[in-house]
Amino acid sequence: MSGVALVSGASRGIGAEIARELAEDHGFRVFAGARNPDAVDPGDGIEPIRLDVTDEDAIFAARERIEGDAGRLDALVNNAGVYGDPVGVAGYELAGAHEVLEVNTFGPWRLIQAFLPLLRESDAPRIVNVSSGAGQLSDMNGGRAAYRVSKAALNALTRTLASDERWVKANTMCPGWVRTDMGGAAAPRSVEQGADTAVWLATLPDDGPTGGFFRDRKPIPW
């Protein structure tokens, strides 16, 4: 049986490209998660599945389906994310900030907790958290406070997970500034470039890294 992957936020942009490459280039059976699964291009090896990372009922329904269909999960790619408002700390409306963290930080956390049992059934389990350079403490700037905090927290979650659960390779990555609905048309990088490192981390060999932060397949500062 080929590898089995779940990619959140897979109806467009980087998530759709990650799903396509895992299916077409690596032979994975990919469950492409989206709040509206009808928006997913199914393609060969890609199966749309309803997934809202803020909805525990939807998450556990997805787990039950994958468990019943495949019996295991080899790669979990936490890609779903929101940008939030272009506002700094002082002016950010905290209810809105909470919504950003619910998707960008607690969404991956929920999926990790839900799918660790299926990942334990894999011979080569991988978790990939799609983060951002905006969450790098070593190069932190102002603006978009909720987004920055949510991605910094996601990086911390990744390092903690990799230390706690050494049987799974868990890494985080920055796709760079990519031409997507979030990145805009002026972004210099294609979706293929943005997806490449996530796909690499999802298919790491047994001697691959864990607990790292990567861009263009190279470690970057936290």
Side-chain angles (χ1 to χ4, degrees):
M1 183 180 180
S2 61
V4 180
L6 171 63
V7 181
S8 68
S11 63
R12 59 186 181 180
I14 295 170
E17 181 61 20
I18 292 169
R20 185 193 69 77
E21 291 185 23
L22 286 174
E24 292 185 9
D25 299 341
H26 297 275
F28 272 71
R29 180 183 184 185
V30 180
F31 290 91
R35 287 178 295 178
N36 177 15
D38 291 338
V40 174
D41 181 3
D44 291 336
I46 297 177
E47 302 179 29
I49 188 169
R50 183 177 181 273
L51 186 65
D52 181 339
V53 302
T54 68
D55 183 340
E56 290 190 357
D57 289 340
I59 290 170
F60 284 104
R63 187 182 75 177
E64 287 182 0
R65 175 178 164 186
I66 295 171
E67 185 173 24
D69 286 356
R72 74 173 199 272
L73 189 66
D74 300 296
L76 170 62
V77 182
N78 286 307
N79 168 75
V82 294
Y83 210 13
D85 295 327
V87 178
V89 170
Y92 216 104
E93 197 275 318
L94 291 184
H98 181 85
E99 292 174 0
V100 173
L101 268 74
E102 280 294 324
V103 176
N104 293 355
T105 305
F106 290 105
W109 201 336
R110 290 187 190 95
L111 287 180
I112 289 165
Q113 288 186 334
F115 283 94
L116 278 177
L118 289 187
L119 287 160
R120 285 188 181 275
E121 300 300 319
S122 170
D123 292 331
R126 307 289 183 258
I127 295 174
V128 183
N129 293 325
V130 178
S131 185
S132 170
Q136 285 179 275
L137 293 177
S138 59
D139 190 32
M140 185 66 71
N141 294 306
R144 294 208 178 267
Y147 183 75
R148 291 183 183 279
V149 170
S150 73
K151 293 300 187 178
L154 180 60
N155 289 351
L157 178 69
T158 304
R159 291 192 67 171
T160 304
L161 172 67
S163 180
D164 286 343
E165 308 292 341
R166 296 183 181 275
W167 55 272
V168 59
K169 291 189 183 298
N171 293 284
T172 188
M173 59 80 67
C174 170
W177 185 16
V178 179
R179 290 188 296 275
T180 62
D181 289 348
M182 182 182 291
R189 294 168 66 90
S190 66
V191 289
E192 292 82 4
Q193 290 172 309
D196 179 73
T197 298
V199 173
W200 170 66
L201 291 171
T203 57
L204 284 174
D206 290 342
D207 61 352
T210 189
F213 188 19
F214 297 89
R215 182 191 294 121
D216 295 329
R217 304 194 182 191
K218 297 178 182 178
I220 58 176
W222 295 91

